[in-house]
Amino acid sequence: MRSRLICSALALTAGLFVSPALGQTATDSSATSVDKVLASSGAGFNVAAVESLIQRGDSAVSAGNLDQAKKDYDSARTAAKQLLAFYRDLSGAFRGLDARIPREMDTKGREALSLLAQANLRLAALFRRQNQPEVAVPVLVEVVRLMTPAKPEGQKAYQSLVELGFVDTPFRGGQSAPGS
């Protein structure tokens, strides 16, 4: 909880220094979308920024810079986890007061969760590429736990665990196994 408050304070402080309209108040009706520093695509603290970090990691992998890719994927994971927690907190705070806000936060939370799973899958693939399967296992298990095996990301993570030999039983997606 304390680390969330510190992260929030840092993000807000950074936003004050980046914002071009320091003199405007939040209730100013002339405020434009430029003033929404955290909502800008590719920067700020939002789903688009996480997507941008994942894309940067992908570019680093393509360029063969695996250390930079790991940093980008780790940053994407951290940001997605923070977003997910904040969206859940806001959803809970407004539940029963204004149904629109929890719906919005739940939607944004699902997007953040999906991005977390994508960053985890890419990071696990990177660990496998670097012959570090023991480091990939916890990341893959987290994807299965977060997304469930019913979702494509969860199935892909579980299949990777089978390929690594961490688990033996393949998941058949609800099909009954022969002889059961």
Side-chain angles (χ1 to χ4, degrees), residues 103-126:
R103 272 196 300 267
E104 176 189 350
M105 294 305 110
D106 292 348
T107 298
K108 288 182 179 223
R110 282 189 296 275
E111 291 173 11
L113 186 63
S114 176
L115 288 172
L116 175 57
Q118 290 176 36
N120 279 350
L121 287 169
R122 284 174 168 84
L123 188 60
L126 182 68

Side-chain angles (χ1 to χ4, degrees), residues 1-8 86 89:
M1 179 69 176
R2 187 172 190 193
S3 65
R4 259 193 232 161
L5 291 174
I6 292 170
C7 288
S8 296
F86 291 144
D89 288 347

Side-chain angles (χ1 to χ4, degrees), residues 9-173:
L10 290 174
L12 289 174
T13 304
L16 291 175
F17 290 112
V18 176
S19 178
L22 291 175
Q24 287 184 335
T25 64
T27 58
D28 188 350
S29 62
S30 67
T32 64
S33 63
V34 174
D35 298 327
K36 295 183 177 183
V37 175
L38 298 179
S40 64
S41 65
F45 190 52
N46 55 42
V47 169
V50 176
E51 289 172 337
S52 177
L53 285 167
I54 292 172
Q55 290 171 355
R56 283 183 14 204
D58 292 347
S59 296
V61 167
S62 296
N65 189 349
L66 302 183
D67 289 335
Q68 183 60 46
K70 183 184 178 308
K71 288 177 188 172
D72 291 334
Y73 293 147
D74 278 336
S75 295
R77 289 178 72 215
T78 300
K81 286 179 181 181
Q82 290 174 337
L83 283 173
L84 183 59
F86 291 144
Y87 291 145
R88 284 181 178 162
D89 288 347
L90 286 171
S91 177
F94 284 93
R95 205 159 301 284
L97 299 174
D98 184 342
R100 297 168 306 146
I101 296 171
R103 272 196 300 267
E104 176 189 350
M105 294 305 110
D106 292 348
T107 298
K108 288 182 179 223
R110 282 189 296 275
E111 291 173 11
L113 186 63
S114 176
L115 288 172
L116 175 57
Q118 290 176 36
N120 279 350
L121 287 169
R122 284 174 168 84
L123 188 60
L126 182 68
F127 289 139
R128 289 181 71 181
R129 182 174 175 176
Q130 293 178 317
N131 293 320
Q132 297 177 317
E134 68 284 353
V135 183
V137 168
V139 178
L140 293 167
V141 170
E142 182 179 31
V143 173
V144 174
R145 181 180 56 81
L146 292 172
M147 298 305 290
T148 79
K151 303 273 186 186
E153 296 94 340
Q155 291 172 7
K156 185 174 182 178
Y158 188 78
Q159 179 57 38
S160 292
L161 291 168
V162 171
E163 291 168 4
L164 289 171
F166 184 73
V167 295
D168 297 322
T169 307
F171 178 64
R172 299 193 194 283

